[in-house]
Amino acid sequence: MALKFYNTLSREKELFIPIDKKEVRMYSCGPTVYDYAHIGNLRAYVFTDILCRTIRYEGFKLKQVMNITDIGHLTSDADSGEDKMTKGLLREGKELTLKNMRELAEFYAEKFKDDLKKLNIKMPDGMYFASDYIKEDTKLIKKLEEKGYIYKTSDGIYFDISKMPDYGILRGCVSSSKESKSRIAENSEKKNPEDFALWKFDKKIGFPSSWGQGFPGWHIECSAMSMKFLGEQFDIHTGGIDHVPVHHTNEIAQTECATGKKPSARFWMHNEHVGVAGAKIAKSDGSFLTLNSIIEKNINPITYRFLLLMAHYRTKINFNWEALEGAETALKRLYNLYQNLGNNVGNIHQEYQNKFKEFMEDDLDTPRALSLLWDVLKDENMSDADKKATVLDFDKVLGLGFSAKGGSASGGENKPLPINIQKLVEEREKARKNKDFKKSDELRKEINSLGYEVKDTAEGPRLHQLS
Ligand code: AMP
Ligand code: ZN
């Protein structure tokens, strides 16, 4: 068997063979840190986490790099609207300075990292603020200038898309300036409607450059940083589906025109969106759901990871609370089945493992992998110890936290939870959700009398046996 991934560039599933056999190189577009991440954004990182874990599970060494956008991203991807970081500073009543901008970015970058931890997402090997790489941006723009791809207007330096014959190849429609006229708001100084900013002038605050003080355009940071950390050509570039028509299209234009090498990334992989009741959740439209909205409802955040894995990453999801509660019940059932397997860890069941690999190798088919997980836990012909070993093996990729529920090879303190205790804990959770605190207190006492103590944490109830 071999890994196959859907490549947006070819619109096909392709066999994945790394450029350099020793190490796979991956770049993931990171968050714009002017606010908390919404639950849609987090799908992009659960997707890349599953991708990274699968690549490593298959035995490859991997280097994953992610940018953190702390400058240059306007509310529209196509150079119109307000600057998102400025918007964040205004919202928080802070003066518009580069120092404040950085502080705002650092605050929300930390919140973002907390979210990753709560979702069991492994940190990328490198995570870098865009504002630390302005020199790399300007060097790249200089290179494009020398090659004749750029021009100046009264508000910035622009990339001339008519100089690149296959501009737009990623979105499957190579642009002629006539075709694209209706797509992006007219700016009378632009030569072609889809020309995009490489550098935007700003006399009040900004960074110095030979063209004038200002900020890099949003797209240039990803070209400059991916080149710096991964080289001019690398294996995989990831992001949400919204990045295809503008951000990634422009990144390809910048990198490939500067280096003269195609393709800049072999595989372009994109996750579909999460919507709420059919609508897109956009951070710039005010209210949005965050991971904290889930935690506040006393739902373990891993449940959201589980919900996402129930759908293929290229399938659109409409988020609703009923679906999340359904996922919560199912995940608890899985944990319960697992916790009743005893302490011994046996051997990984080869046939199940082969199937698991087959599903994950087929463009990360997590829905089928999850249904296989149920099959393992319900298999009556398998020993408990072998079930445990097999579940722990799958969980290296799924990351649902089974090992924390008991089952390190050494056994130890994690004894399986008796079913009657699990039931009481679930009942108490229900009572708490319904704000029936009297009942939840009574249930706590009953759990205590049976020799267990329940503690409420941000990640849901935690139990330990009283000595
Ligand atoms: P941003 O913080 O806006 O730069 O976006 C961070 C990541 O979230 C990018 O990869 C986006 O493509 C992705 N993204 C944005 N909105 C959604 C959504 N509703 N569902 C899934 N991914 C999204
Ligand atoms: Zn990017």
Side-chain angles (χ1 to χ4, degrees):
M1 282 309 293
L3 279 171
K4 273 188 179 172
F5 297 138
Y6 182 86
N7 190 352
T8 309
L9 203 52
S10 62
R11 271 157 281 281
E12 273 175 8
K13 274 190 210 170
E14 287 181 48
L15 192 64
F16 176 73
I17 300 167
I19 298 169
D20 175 352
K21 298 267 178 319
K22 279 191 233 124
E23 186 176 62
V24 175
R25 284 167 287 147
M26 184 193 301
Y27 185 87
S28 301
C29 279
T32 307
V33 283
Y34 71 115
D35 210 330
Y36 296 97
H38 61 58
I39 56 167
N41 298 135
L42 294 172
R43 186 181 197 189
Y45 307 106
V46 170
F47 152 59
T48 49
D49 185 55
I50 290 289
L51 177 59
C52 290
R53 284 169 181 261
T54 301
I55 289 170
R56 290 191 169 115
Y57 184 81
E58 293 280 323
F60 292 106
K61 223 176 135 219
L62 167 75
K63 179 178 180 185
Q64 185 204 15
V65 166
M66 188 184 287
N67 65 309
I68 296 183
T69 300
D70 59 344
I71 39 163
H73 192 180
L74 305 184
T75 45
S76 145
D77 290 351
D79 301 331
S80 60
E82 294 164 89
D83 171 72
K84 289 188 176 183
M85 294 304 293
T86 305
K87 197 176 150 141
L89 284 176
L90 283 175
R91 185 192 62 231
E92 304 202 353
K94 296 202 175 118
E95 199 191 333
L96 192 61
T97 64
L98 284 181
K99 185 170 167 282
N100 285 348
M101 221 177 235
R102 178 65 182 230
E103 275 174 18
L104 185 84
E106 284 176 2
F107 177 83
Y108 286 111
E110 280 310 307
K111 298 294 165 202
F112 173 69
K113 286 184 201 165
D114 288 347
D115 285 350
L116 297 191
K117 273 185 216 138
K118 286 174 189 156
L119 285 168
N120 229 352
I121 294 170
K122 291 190 176 152
M123 286 297 151
D125 303 283
M127 225 173 174
Y128 307 101
F129 283 104
S131 63
D132 288 334
Y133 297 92
I134 305 286
K135 242 193 235 146
E136 282 72 7
D137 296 339
T138 52
K139 243 167 87 185
L140 187 57
I141 302 170
K142 262 259 145 1
K143 211 170 194 181
L144 291 168
E145 184 172 36
E146 284 158 17
K147 293 193 170 192
Y149 285 102
I150 76 172
Y151 64 93
K152 187 173 179 175
T153 72
S154 58
D155 75 345
I157 301 296
Y158 282 82
F159 183 97
D160 182 349
I161 65 153
S162 66
K163 298 271 166 68
M164 184 189 193
D166 58 353
Y167 177 83
I169 191 164
L170 184 72
R171 64 183 185 215
C173 123
V174 174
S175 194
S176 78
S177 46
K178 246 191 250 150
E179 257 173 23
S180 59
K181 267 215 165 80
S182 58
R183 280 173 182 270
I184 287 169
E186 199 72 57
N187 165 341
S188 60
E189 285 183 75
K190 281 205 230 172
K191 291 186 182 172
N192 311 286
E194 285 184 292
D195 288 352
F196 56 91
L198 298 164
W199 189 262
K200 276 256 179 158
F201 301 135
D202 193 323
K203 287 201 177 103
K204 279 188 246 141
I205 62 163
F207 300 89
S209 84
S210 59
W211 307 283
Q213 178 172 290
F215 288 94
W218 172 42
H219 318 299
I220 199 79
E221 71 184 57
C222 290
S223 289
M225 290 163 84
S226 61
M227 254 190 242
K228 177 171 178 76
F229 294 107
L230 302 174
E232 292 180 346
Q233 289 180 296
F234 53 94
D235 298 291
I236 305 177
H237 196 310
T238 69
I241 195 85
D242 53 306
H243 283 349
V244 174
V246 182
H247 183 51
H248 287 171
T249 286
N250 293 346
E251 223 189 293
I252 288 175
Q254 295 163 155
T255 308
E256 294 184 4
C257 290
T259 64
K261 293 177 188 165
K262 282 176 201 291
S264 48
R266 271 272 294 120
F267 280 76
W268 289 80
M269 296 178 70
H270 298 97
N271 62 280
E272 247 302 346
H273 269 191
V274 176
V276 174
K280 202 179 144 218
I281 340 157
K283 269 197 268 189
S284 41
D285 70 12
S287 67
F288 54 89
L289 291 171
T290 65
L291 198 59
N292 267 336
S293 323
I294 290 172
I295 293 168
E296 276 161 16
K297 290 205 177 235
N298 248 308
I299 296 174
N300 180 347
I302 293 294
T303 311
Y304 182 56
R305 180 182 176 105
F306 182 63
L307 178 78
L308 292 177
L309 301 189
M310 285 160 81
H312 189 265
Y313 75 91
R314 288 191 290 112
T315 307
K316 211 171 189 154
I317 294 180
N318 278 326
F319 178 87
N320 61 67
W321 290 106
E322 290 71 35
L324 191 69
E325 279 158 19
E328 185 184 30
T329 307
L331 184 59
K332 278 183 178 167
R333 216 169 275 156
L334 280 173
Y335 284 156
N336 203 4
L337 286 169
Y338 175 82
Q339 284 173 318
N340 284 304
L341 293 176
N343 277 339
N344 295 335
V345 181
N347 297 312
I348 299 167
H349 191 287
Q350 271 313 307
E351 240 171 81
Y352 275 121
Q353 189 188 48
N354 290 345
K355 266 193 187 161
F356 180 75
K357 277 192 171 178
E358 184 190 322
F359 296 157
M360 293 312 296
E361 285 170 351
D362 183 12
D363 195 29
L364 313 175
D365 196 340
T366 53
R368 280 205 290 168
L370 285 181
S371 107
L372 193 69
L373 179 68
W374 283 106
D375 292 347
V376 169
L377 283 164
K378 289 182 171 170
D379 190 329
E380 287 171 4
N381 299 315
M382 232 173 125
S383 75
D384 283 356
D386 287 357
K387 282 186 188 180
K388 196 155 200 166
T390 309
V391 170
L392 289 173
D393 179 61
F394 291 6
D395 209 37
K396 286 183 198 151
V397 175
L398 301 173
L400 294 171
F402 281 99
S403 60
K405 302 278 164 195
S408 57
S410 59
E413 59 176 24
N414 291 307
K415 297 202 180 109
L417 196 61
I419 288 178
N420 60 331
I421 302 287
Q422 180 70 31
K423 278 199 176 129
L424 289 171
V425 173
E426 281 174 18
E427 250 181 77
R428 184 176 166 271
E429 271 303 284
K430 224 184 254 167
R432 269 164 54 80
K433 259 183 220 154
N434 296 333
K435 299 204 174 0
D436 187 349
F437 298 116
K438 188 166 170 269
K439 187 168 179 197
S440 96
D441 242 31
E442 282 166 13
L443 287 162
R444 179 200 289 276
K445 281 182 198 147
E446 192 176 344
I447 293 166
N448 268 348
S449 72
L450 292 167
Y452 287 82
E453 187 180 36
V454 61
K455 277 195 180 144
D456 298 309
T457 72
E459 297 183 354
R462 281 269 156 81
L463 265 189
H464 74 93
Q465 200 164 11
L466 297 166
S467 47

